[in-house]
Amino acid sequence: MLNKFKKIYHFCLAWLGSVVYQHPSDEIFVLGVTGTKGKSTVVELINAIMEAAGKRTATVSSVKFKIGGEIRENRTGMTMPGRFFIQKFLREAVENDCKYAFIEVTSQGVAQYRDRFVDFDAGLLTNIQPEHIESHGSFENYRGCKINFFRNIGLYSKKRQKSFFINTEARDNGMFVEAAEGFGKIILYSKEDLEKMKWKIKLLGQFNLENIAAAVSFARSQNIDWETIKNVMENFDGVPGRLEFVQKDPFAIIIDYAHTPDSLEKVYQAVKKNISSKRAKGKMICVLGCAGGGRDSWKRPVMGEIASRYCDEIVLTNEDPFDDDPEEIIDQIAEGVKNSSYNKRFKKIVDRKDAISEAIKMAKKNDAVIVTGKGSELYMRLAKGKKIPWSEREVIKNVLNQLKIEI
């Protein structure tokens, strides 16, 4: 009964928000980007292309909120905020003459009807991997929310022409195709589409080729010329906290948000390849917190095993414990390291600053220190709702200054 009440409550909030702000999505092109990972990067890539083409845009992502030329950091702790936020944002975008709005759409957002009463012109799927299992009850329920986003566009959006962009390499992509069939144009994209381009891309990792392919696919659907797209793609440096190099020499220091086993493995693969090609005999030193407290505890030993597979040195540390015991979380990650067949050494250091410092002290020329879990997040979330300001980038810079290592 309580669950039913919550659903009614969230549905009514979504409807009321659209009424209060007078249905702003009627007056602007709205693209929703969903998937387990890559959403922020795809939103930023698309935005960069459209701005280069002279379009006025607005974005909602886990990194920032942007309306025209005004940018502010996302300090809400939510990728897709509720309580009228989306409708208010779209109204402000319309009033600032924005023609496009690009919004990250999350499974939790769909479960709480935050996508409803927004007339989306298009939906885009990056990929789908197990995530938020405990909050949704199962992977199938989690995936169902993503599929429902596509279905909701088809059933409820009043836009006449609707488009659905689907990564052909995404798990269960056929289910998304099926959900979109009959509702609009289905556009399939793949990183293989980029191979013939021979562009000089700065972004590391095969997964970023998928993100670029998604952005290119959308841009072409809006008749953006190839030269504009190419120039943006070749000069795009990346999104803060996503495979971001804080330092490149004498050893690399990289931060990334990686919060699922799949994303962690792909980040490690990208860094490992970079070491192999440019940093002969360099080691990979990994600082790993994992799947903060209160959710997805199943990921902890899995990510520990992945770290043991790719990393030469491992420092296990705190991330966002919420009400869970940080040491217990670390012990669960450690089980994955110990039970693997790779027999890698690891250290447990609860204080994240100390853990980062220890990893940097280990590093020698041509090594790479990869710090995952926080990315560009602005807070560390602790017990009883407490949060403290956090900047992975600034912590690293402070450690480097203390150790007298020049950036």
Side-chain angles (χ1 to χ4, degrees):
M1 183 63 71
L2 180 61
N3 189 44
K4 184 177 180 180
F5 174 78
K6 285 183 178 180
K7 286 183 177 181
I8 294 171
Y9 168 77
H10 289 300
F11 184 88
C12 290
L13 273 184
W15 171 79
L16 188 58
S18 70
V19 172
V20 169
Y21 291 101
Q22 300 177 311
H23 313 289
S25 58
D26 293 348
E27 306 169 56
I28 189 171
F29 186 106
V30 187
L31 167 69
V33 178
T34 197
T36 305
K37 52 190 174 59
K39 297 186 294 295
S40 296
T41 300
V42 170
V43 164
E44 291 301 316
L45 283 165
I46 290 174
N47 179 70
I49 295 171
M50 301 305 285
E51 282 190 329
K55 312 297 182 183
R56 193 164 173 82
T57 64
T59 66
V60 172
S61 77
S62 59
V63 178
K64 67 186 180 186
F65 307 130
K66 182 188 89 74
I67 297 177
E70 181 186 346
I71 298 172
R72 64 183 190 273
E73 294 177 314
N74 182 347
R75 294 179 174 272
T76 67
M78 293 184 288
T79 299
M80 188 184 188
R83 296 185 179 278
F84 293 17
F85 179 91
I86 299 296
Q87 299 291 351
K88 182 175 185 289
F89 166 85
L90 289 172
R91 175 50 60 195
E92 290 176 355
V94 169
E95 291 175 352
N96 280 273
D97 297 320
C98 294
K99 304 305 178 187
Y100 288 86
F102 310 124
I103 299 173
E104 283 191 51
V105 176
T106 64
S107 59
Q108 294 280 39
V110 175
Q112 296 182 355
Y113 300 102
R114 294 174 194 169
D115 64 316
R116 291 294 304 276
F117 305 103
V118 175
D119 291 322
F120 285 91
D121 294 81
L124 186 151
L125 172 71
T126 59
N127 49 69
I128 189 81
Q129 295 290 335
E131 172 74 331
H132 300 305
I133 303 302
E134 289 168 2
S135 59
H136 286 288
S138 69
F139 168 69
E140 288 74 20
N141 289 344
Y142 165 72
R143 181 184 59 201
C145 285
K146 301 288 190 183
I147 293 171
N148 281 342
F149 170 57
F150 271 35
R151 189 174 290 118
N152 289 345
I153 294 175
L155 291 173
Y156 305 117
S157 172
K158 300 187 193 71
K159 297 294 176 66
R160 287 187 176 182
Q161 295 182 327
K162 304 169 192 175
S163 299
F164 301 87
F165 299 83
I166 300 172
N167 184 358
T168 60
E169 296 177 66
R171 174 177 177 174
D172 300 326
N173 63 77
M175 293 183 178
F176 290 85
V177 171
E178 184 178 349
E181 280 180 344
F183 292 123
K185 188 175 183 180
I186 296 173
I187 301 169
L188 304 178
Y189 70 89
S190 167
K191 68 174 184 286
E192 293 180 2
D193 302 336
L194 300 175
E195 291 180 354
K196 59 185 177 183
M197 306 295 184
K198 296 182 180 180
W199 292 345
K200 297 178 181 178
I201 305 296
K202 293 181 180 180
L203 300 183
L204 297 179
Q206 289 294 305
F207 62 91
N208 269 323
L209 293 182
E210 293 182 24
N211 295 334
I212 291 169
V216 171
S217 181
F218 176 80
R220 289 299 295 159
S221 77
Q222 301 304 302
N223 299 313
I224 308 302
D225 65 272
W226 280 109
E227 191 61 29
T228 297
I229 296 171
K230 177 178 181 290
N231 287 340
V232 171
M233 294 301 96
E234 291 191 332
N235 290 286
F236 190 84
D237 290 319
V239 177
R242 270 67 172 178
L243 270 180
E244 177 185 353
F245 281 80
V246 179
Q247 170 180 292
K248 291 190 175 181
D249 294 302
F251 53 85
I253 304 177
I254 304 157
I255 61 176
D256 191 89
Y257 179 54
H259 61 289
T260 69
D262 184 70
S263 60
L264 184 71
E265 182 165 21
K266 283 183 166 57
V267 165
Y268 285 164
Q269 287 172 345
V271 175
K272 200 80 168 177
K273 184 176 180 180
N274 182 261
I275 292 174
S276 300
S277 61
K278 297 182 180 179
R279 304 173 184 278
K281 298 181 180 178
K283 291 193 304 182
M284 198 156 96
I285 303 165
C286 303
V287 179
L288 175 63
C290 180
R295 63 187 189 276
D296 289 339
S297 58
W298 66 270
K299 292 193 287 192
R300 296 166 188 167
V302 176
M303 294 173 87
E305 190 277 334
I306 291 170
S308 71
R309 206 183 316 155
Y310 289 92
C311 306
D312 298 292
E313 302 282 354
I314 304 168
V315 182
L316 304 179
T317 190
N318 197 11
E319 188 180 307
D320 286 310
F322 289 89
D323 292 312
D324 286 5
D325 181 350
E327 293 192 21
E328 184 178 335
I329 294 175
I330 293 171
D331 286 342
Q332 290 172 350
I333 308 171
E335 284 301 309
V337 180
K338 290 187 289 188
N339 292 334
S340 75
S341 59
Y342 298 92
N343 196 29
K344 294 294 177 65
R345 292 178 297 173
F346 66 91
K347 295 183 179 182
K348 300 180 191 178
I349 303 177
V350 176
D351 187 283
R352 193 172 178 91
K353 292 179 183 178
D354 291 344
I356 290 171
S357 179
E358 180 64 22
I360 291 174
K361 287 176 185 176
M362 291 182 195
K364 296 182 172 60
K365 185 177 180 180
N366 294 326
D367 289 347
V369 176
I370 171 74
V371 187
T372 56
K374 295 297 293 174
S376 59
E377 288 188 326
L378 301 173
Y379 299 100
M380 179 91 71
R381 288 170 172 79
L382 310 177
K384 298 180 181 178
K386 182 181 178 182
K387 61 182 183 180
I388 58 174
W390 183 266
S391 169
E392 204 92 289
R393 196 180 304 106
E394 290 305 313
V395 167
I396 290 169
K397 288 180 179 179
N398 289 339
V399 170
L400 291 171
N401 287 335
Q402 291 168 7
L403 299 176
K404 309 289 189 215
I405 298 173
E406 292 187 5
I407 300 178

